[in-house]
Amino acid sequence: MIIFGTKGYIYQLAILTLVCGQCGNPSAHTLRKRVSKFTLFFVPLFPYSTKHYTQCTFCGVEHQVPNEQAEQLLAQSAAQAQQGGGQQHGANPFAQGAQGGQAGGGNPFSQGGQGQQPGQGGNPYQH
């Protein structure tokens, strides 16, 4: 009696900040690789299918990504990690100072040494 089958493995490759195609929100997306392997006597022998997916952490929708685009996203995330703290300057619209029209940077609720008094556009719930 020969026992054979398949087993799937999921590897999380990166977490990227992208605009979701479903909900339209700029949110974190996980880049995952699904590898299906042929097994013989419960021992995985060789992969027969590899697919890349991104999943929006806001709405949960999952999109399949071509292998070439997945490699580009991996290179982009590695470049962002090397530029300091995983955040590329100018790429994140929610980063401090990205929205020049607002006093105190891009986040109206942050209190990071901006000298705002309560009632002057700061966080109304923090005293």
Side-chain angles (χ1 to χ4, degrees):
M1 181 162 132
I2 298 177
I3 300 174
F4 64 93
T6 62
K7 181 159 173 68
Y9 297 90
I10 298 175
Y11 302 100
Q12 182 169 322
L13 303 176
I15 297 178
L16 306 163
T17 302
L18 303 170
V19 176
C20 180
Q22 180 73 24
C23 64
N25 290 313
S27 62
H29 285 67
T30 56
L31 178 63
R32 296 182 178 149
K33 178 170 73 168
R34 291 185 184 168
V35 179
S36 299
K37 295 185 178 184
F38 178 77
T39 61
L40 184 64
F41 293 108
F42 305 105
V43 177
L45 295 178
F46 57 89
Y48 69 89
S49 173
T50 301
K51 296 180 182 177
H52 292 88
Y53 291 90
T54 59
Q55 183 178 17
C56 177
T57 58
F58 190 81
C59 67
V61 71
E62 206 172 69
H63 294 286
Q64 186 173 355
V65 178
N67 290 340
E68 296 83 22
Q69 187 177 2
E71 295 297 325
Q72 290 174 354
L73 290 172
L74 274 174
Q76 177 185 356
S77 82
Q80 286 179 0
Q82 287 179 354
Q83 287 185 357
Q87 187 177 51
Q88 184 177 9
H89 300 291
N92 187 356
F94 300 107
Q96 286 293 81
Q99 297 174 0
Q102 262 183 342
N107 188 355
F109 299 109
S110 68
Q111 295 290 324
Q114 297 165 5
Q116 293 179 345
Q117 299 296 324
Q120 293 182 356
N123 189 344
Y125 301 108
Q126 187 176 18
H127 296 287

